[in-house]
Amino acid sequence: MEIFSAFFEKPKKIRFATQEPGERIIFVLRKAFVTNIPWIFVSVLALILPAFYMQYSLHSSKYFLGINRRLEVALIVTWYLLTLVYIVERYITWYFNIYIITDKRVIDIDFSPLFSKRISETTYDRVEDTSFSMNNLFHTIFNYGDVFLQTAAEKREFEFHSVPNPSLVQDKISDFAAMATK
Amino acid sequence: MYTNSNVTNTLDFNNLSSLAAMSIDLMVLIIVLLYIVFSLIVVRQVYLMSNVVITGGNKYIKFFAWLQLAFSFIFAYFILSLFVIQ
């Protein structure tokens, strides 16, 4: 499923607004889907927690913590709305935070659903150094990590956080940078 | 004469001041309104971002954003009928 994928190699159906004629997309990356597990876990907990409370509340003649039924409904509604906002915010942020690697440049799209978007890019002739890191057990098991680009541009460092196949991505960027500086 | 028998552990809105009851209604109303605003922002941002990066999955995200907006209005109606139009 495309809406849950984090790694696209030479995608045919993906384009971006500032794509130049003849510019080919090599990779489109998001954070590895496994990085979503903590907030998904929290969301599932948040969704089922009121059910436990309601189970107690329905079978009890006394109100829990002395809460009136009207206030009880208000609190549950508020709880579910905040949970929904949290889920939507987390998912949309993950979905639209994209790294694009083309044969001409590297583009980093930072997106926040409530506030802003920021697009940074650099061409390969400005890339001075590339590296990647896989720091912990999860990174190794699920094959994701961070890729770093040192550039001579205004934005000194590009950091691709928790992207899948970091060694492949770093290798490809390194190849393009080497070709650009020849 | 004040007696302890009048005191219960349960908060009862009949005994609460109408101001307290109203403030709870108002709080829920504000939260639902903020949720509608959030849903509108999500729709707008999804459309903005869909123009920046065009992928096959965008149509699903747009549908989801509209669905959420529709849900927020249905929810608002439900809450209004529950809390305000009583």
Side-chain angles (χ1 to χ4, degrees):
Chain A
M1 281 288 278
E2 203 171 306
I3 54 171
F4 299 116
S5 299
F7 184 84
F8 301 90
E9 189 170 4
K10 294 180 181 169
K12 298 236 184 308
K13 291 179 181 174
I14 298 179
R15 290 178 290 121
F16 59 97
T18 57
Q19 191 169 356
E20 291 167 9
E23 186 175 15
R24 284 184 303 118
I25 297 175
I26 309 300
F27 293 121
V28 173
L29 309 166
R30 296 187 182 111
K31 284 186 178 180
F33 192 79
V34 72
T35 60
N36 291 326
I37 286 174
W39 72 257
I40 291 172
F41 181 72
V42 169
S43 305
V44 170
L45 267 186
L47 287 172
I48 61 174
L49 216 59
F52 285 114
Y53 167 71
M54 281 187 269
Q55 191 80 0
Y56 169 86
S57 177
L58 287 174
H59 291 96
S60 172
S61 55
K62 288 184 176 177
Y63 292 121
F64 183 62
L65 297 175
I67 297 175
N68 173 281
R69 188 68 77 194
R70 187 185 176 92
L71 182 58
E72 193 176 70
V73 174
L75 288 176
I76 290 171
V77 163
T78 306
W79 179 273
Y80 273 122
L81 284 189
L82 291 177
T83 307
L84 273 177
V85 167
Y86 177 69
I87 292 169
V88 171
E89 194 271 333
R90 295 309 303 169
Y91 178 74
I92 298 282
T93 301
W94 173 80
Y95 184 83
F96 284 118
N97 267 294
I98 296 174
Y99 309 111
I100 301 172
I101 293 149
T102 76
D103 56 352
K104 292 182 178 170
R105 56 193 162 145
V106 173
I107 300 159
D108 174 6
I109 300 169
D110 286 324
F111 169 75
S112 166
L114 287 179
F115 305 108
S116 64
K117 69 168 193 259
R118 193 187 63 167
I119 301 173
S120 323
E121 64 172 68
T122 189
T123 49
Y124 290 113
D125 56 339
R126 290 179 172 182
V127 174
E128 293 175 338
D129 184 39
T130 62
S131 61
F132 77 94
S133 70
M134 294 165 83
N135 292 325
N136 61 45
L137 189 64
F138 283 106
H139 286 185
T140 312
I141 292 171
F142 295 105
N143 188 25
Y144 72 95
D146 303 329
V147 176
F148 304 99
L149 310 185
Q150 282 286 330
T151 72
E154 196 175 318
K155 187 182 176 186
R156 297 288 299 172
E157 192 161 87
F158 275 71
E159 294 172 4
F160 296 179
H161 294 290
S162 306
V163 291
N165 296 318
S167 58
L168 180 67
V169 173
Q170 185 263 340
D171 184 46
K172 208 74 177 173
I173 293 170
S174 185
D175 289 349
F176 278 117
M179 277 196 286
T181 49
K182 270 183 188 172
Chain B
M1 179 81 183
Y2 179 83
T3 59
N4 276 339
S5 62
N6 291 333
V7 180
T8 62
N9 287 329
T10 305
L11 287 177
D12 189 339
F13 275 83
N14 294 329
N15 296 334
L16 278 179
S17 68
S18 60
L19 188 69
M22 267 176 63
S23 60
I24 289 168
D25 288 356
L26 198 66
M27 181 198 81
V28 173
L29 213 63
I30 288 169
I31 285 167
V32 171
L33 282 176
L34 285 176
Y35 182 60
I36 290 175
V37 171
F38 172 78
S39 303
L40 283 167
I41 291 171
V42 166
V43 170
R44 185 182 171 275
Q45 291 286 64
V46 162
Y47 270 79
L48 272 177
M49 289 307 292
S50 296
N51 292 330
V52 174
V53 184
I54 301 119
T55 74
N58 284 357
K59 57 179 179 285
Y60 301 111
I61 303 296
K62 282 179 186 171
F63 174 74
F64 175 70
W66 281 111
L67 193 71
Q68 204 222 351
L69 183 64
F71 176 73
S72 69
F73 280 110
I74 292 166
F75 217 83
Y77 175 77
F78 167 73
I79 292 302
L80 280 173
S81 60
L82 202 69
F83 283 86
V84 181
I85 316 163
Q86 271 192 338

